[in-house]
Amino acid sequence: MNPADTLPPDPVQLELEALGRQVDRLLDTVRRLSEENRSLRHSQEQLSGERANLLARNEQARSRVEAMIQRLKSLEGNG
């Protein structure tokens, strides 16, 4: 029989193992959050592009409506 088998576990070794597991969990969390952050930044870029496009289209529509109103007013004045 190996004498090390009968010794109680070393508290320092147990604490180091627990810390090692905690570090592994933290690293997994950092990796997951980094990937999530990358994905969110990509989504934000896409949404910003879509927003700019919608704002431009809205401005074009507003300009057309204003032009139509002016034409109607001029027709009304000539009629």
Side-chain angles (χ1 to χ4, degrees):
M1 178 178 256
N2 187 350
D5 292 338
T6 60
L7 294 176
D10 180 11
V12 173
Q13 184 63 34
L14 291 175
E15 189 172 346
L16 285 174
E17 289 170 3
L19 287 172
R21 288 189 298 273
Q22 187 175 10
V23 167
D24 288 341
R25 286 193 302 273
L26 289 171
L27 287 172
D28 288 342
T29 301
V30 167
R31 286 183 196 107
R32 181 180 54 81
L33 290 174
S34 293
E35 176 58 28
E36 185 178 333
N37 191 33
R38 186 202 62 75
S39 176
L40 289 171
R41 286 182 189 275
H42 178 72
S43 294
Q44 182 182 15
E45 288 174 14
Q46 284 183 320
L47 291 171
S48 292
E50 288 177 26
R51 181 180 184 274
N53 184 35
L54 289 171
L55 287 172
R57 289 175 59 192
N58 190 26
E59 180 60 28
Q60 289 173 350
R62 187 186 62 76
S63 295
R64 282 190 226 137
V65 168
E66 285 179 357
M68 284 185 227
I69 290 171
Q70 291 303 318
R71 278 183 283 189
L72 288 172
K73 283 182 180 179
S74 68
L75 289 174
E76 197 176 73
N78 292 335

